[in-house]
Amino acid sequence: ESQTQYKEYLARQRSTQRKNKGLGDLIRNRLKWTGLNQSTLAEQIGVSRQAVNYYIAGKIFPKREVLEKMFKVLEVKDKKTLEELLNGE
């Protein structure tokens, strides 16, 4: 039973890492496209620059409200992308 739980845990971790990496790639690309830097983005969405760095590195995933603000600042218009990230797809 503990081996099954461990396998389930690893599957969740892999899914989370893919979701976080996807967000990190998106942020990195949109920062380049908009000409913003991490500090400006952080200020505009109300988080620390370190938090933005962690989002890009895939270490943490922002709350929905922060993610929505980030999409607005980074001019991501595709709501499907937002929902996919939030749902872990």
Side-chain angles (χ1 to χ4, degrees):
E1 183 177 318
S2 64
Q3 190 172 16
T4 302
Q5 290 174 330
Y6 182 67
K7 285 181 182 178
E8 290 171 357
Y9 166 78
L10 289 177
R12 281 192 310 273
Q13 288 296 101
R14 281 191 296 274
S15 174
T16 299
Q17 287 170 347
R18 278 193 302 272
K19 177 173 80 168
N20 290 0
K21 183 180 183 324
L23 177 62
D25 292 344
L26 177 69
I27 295 169
R28 194 176 298 107
N29 291 334
R30 297 305 291 186
L31 283 172
K32 285 180 189 173
W33 189 83
T34 59
L36 297 174
N37 61 37
Q38 291 182 25
S39 297
T40 304
L41 176 61
E43 187 177 303
Q44 291 186 14
I45 63 175
V47 299
S48 68
R49 188 199 56 76
Q50 178 123 19
V52 171
N53 189 22
Y54 283 174
Y55 300 152
I56 292 171
K59 293 180 181 180
I60 59 174
F61 195 83
K63 294 180 182 175
R64 181 183 191 100
E65 302 81 39
V66 173
L67 192 57
E68 288 173 348
K69 287 180 190 177
M70 187 184 308
F71 269 43
K72 189 176 230 178
V73 170
L74 295 176
E75 302 175 26
V76 178
K77 308 245 187 289
D78 186 3
K79 292 293 182 191
K80 183 179 177 192
T81 302
L82 175 63
E83 293 306 318
E84 286 174 350
L85 284 168
L86 289 169
N87 295 327
E89 296 174 9

